[in-house]
């Protein structure tokens, strides 16, 4: 995992914890709309980032790890009694659309990795 990916995961983890448990942070400083904007901006920056390395197998593993990590984080925060202030949940249509886009990208990296092996 590259440093950019690691920083992205840390920031996203902190933002999700803040979203599910705003009483643990200074909730008067950041509004839920700003939080949603930052999360969408982070997602779009990853989604439209140029592919810098040709190793599609590594990219596939990173994408799969990120998707599973974020889904498990949302599930864990929900199980701990948190409630998203911006509406992120495992049955949210927006999250399912993002998940489908992520699955599409993951599948395309897997397909490219399989093609490069042969």
């Amino acid at each position: 995992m590259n440093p950019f990916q690691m920083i992205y995961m840390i920031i996203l983890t902190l933002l999700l914890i803040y979203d599910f448990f705003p009483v643990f942070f200074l909730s008067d400083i950041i509004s839920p709309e700003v939080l949603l904007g930052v999360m969408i901006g982070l997602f779009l920056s990853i989604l439209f980032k140029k592919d810098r390395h040709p190793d599609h197998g590594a990219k596939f593993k990173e994408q799969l790890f990120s998707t599973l990590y974020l889904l498990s984080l949302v599930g864990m925060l929900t199980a701990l009694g948190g409630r998203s202030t911006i509406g992120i949940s495992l049955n949210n249509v927006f999250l399912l659309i993002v998940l489908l886009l992520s699955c599409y990208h993951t599948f395309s990296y897997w397909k490219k990795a399989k093609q490069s092996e042969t």
Side-chain angles (χ1 to χ4, degrees):
M1 186 177 290
N2 63 30
F4 178 75
Q5 184 83 7
M6 189 70 93
I7 291 170
Y8 167 75
M9 296 304 285
I10 290 169
I11 290 172
L12 200 55
T13 300
L14 292 174
L15 287 173
L16 280 171
I17 291 171
Y18 168 74
D19 180 45
F20 277 80
F21 298 102
V23 294
F24 293 126
F25 289 90
L26 301 174
S27 61
D28 296 332
I29 295 175
I30 301 175
S31 71
E33 292 82 16
V34 171
L35 178 63
L36 178 62
V38 169
M39 290 177 79
I40 289 172
L42 283 172
F43 173 74
L44 291 176
S45 72
I46 294 296
L47 184 66
F48 296 114
K49 185 178 78 166
K50 293 275 186 189
D51 192 14
R52 296 200 173 129
H53 54 81
D55 185 10
H56 298 292
K59 194 68 175 165
F60 166 73
K61 290 176 186 174
E62 286 178 9
Q63 187 77 18
L64 185 63
F65 171 77
S66 298
T67 302
L68 293 176
Y69 173 77
L70 292 175
L71 281 177
S72 63
L73 183 62
V74 168
M76 183 182 70
L77 292 173
T78 302
L80 288 173
R83 183 165 171 90
S84 175
T85 57
I86 57 175
I88 296 173
S89 67
L90 295 176
N91 58 0
N92 185 326
V93 174
F94 177 72
L95 182 66
L96 294 176
I97 291 170
V98 170
L99 180 62
L100 285 173
L101 286 172
S102 176
C103 287
Y104 172 75
H105 276 137
T106 304
F107 178 72
S108 70
Y109 288 129
W110 176 75
K111 201 165 135 180
K112 288 176 185 176
K114 287 294 179 189
Q115 287 176 352
S116 66
E117 284 179 3
T118 58

